[in-house]
Amino acid sequence: MRPDTDKLVLMDNNILACDYGVKQLESLIDSGYKIDLNQGTDARLVTDKIAQILSKIKWIRYLRFSCDSIPQIAAIHKTAELLGKYGVKPYRMLIYLLVTSDLADAEYRIEQIKTLKGISIYAQAERNESMGIMQNKLQNDFALRYVYSGKYRSLSWSEYAKERGLIT
């Protein structure tokens, strides 16, 4: 127990990948702490049992998951459904969305995820200097101006980009 705070930030985005991590989460249910998993947890690992555990934890703000590729969309929807079964609404979820140079892929993932009404999305343009991957202007516009501003809630990326003269 930490007497100096009632909040704990866990920085393990793969906590669901082992029984020990799941048991650690389960032990936090009645701990009195508010929890934050500040990285994108893998929604593909959420089972009914794990959803039940996650639903009983007091969260600082969001349950955070990642969606870096199209195959992860189904897992996000399944996780939202499982969490919903235990009373967790989509607005309690935040999805980290990797924005690669394939903006059509990112747009598709946004459109599929936002069908979960109230869900929040945070986009990050892909960057890995050691591998020579640098984000371009359109990736930044997508992440910072389109998603971060919340425009994704009412416009598709194609509509937004045409309106702003970013694409023809």
Side-chain angles (χ1 to χ4, degrees), residues 2 5-9 32-36 60:
R2 289 192 52 185
T5 185
D6 67 344
K7 297 177 183 171
L8 295 177
V9 177
Y33 288 111
K34 291 181 181 175
I35 307 303
D36 183 19
I60 293 173

Side-chain angles (χ1 to χ4, degrees), residues 9-29:
V9 177
L10 308 178
M11 299 174 65
D12 183 355
N13 66 330
N14 216 5
I15 197 165
L16 303 180
C18 67
D19 289 336
Y20 179 76
V22 174
K23 287 177 185 168
Q24 291 297 305
L25 287 175
E26 195 169 19
S27 74
L28 294 169
I29 291 173

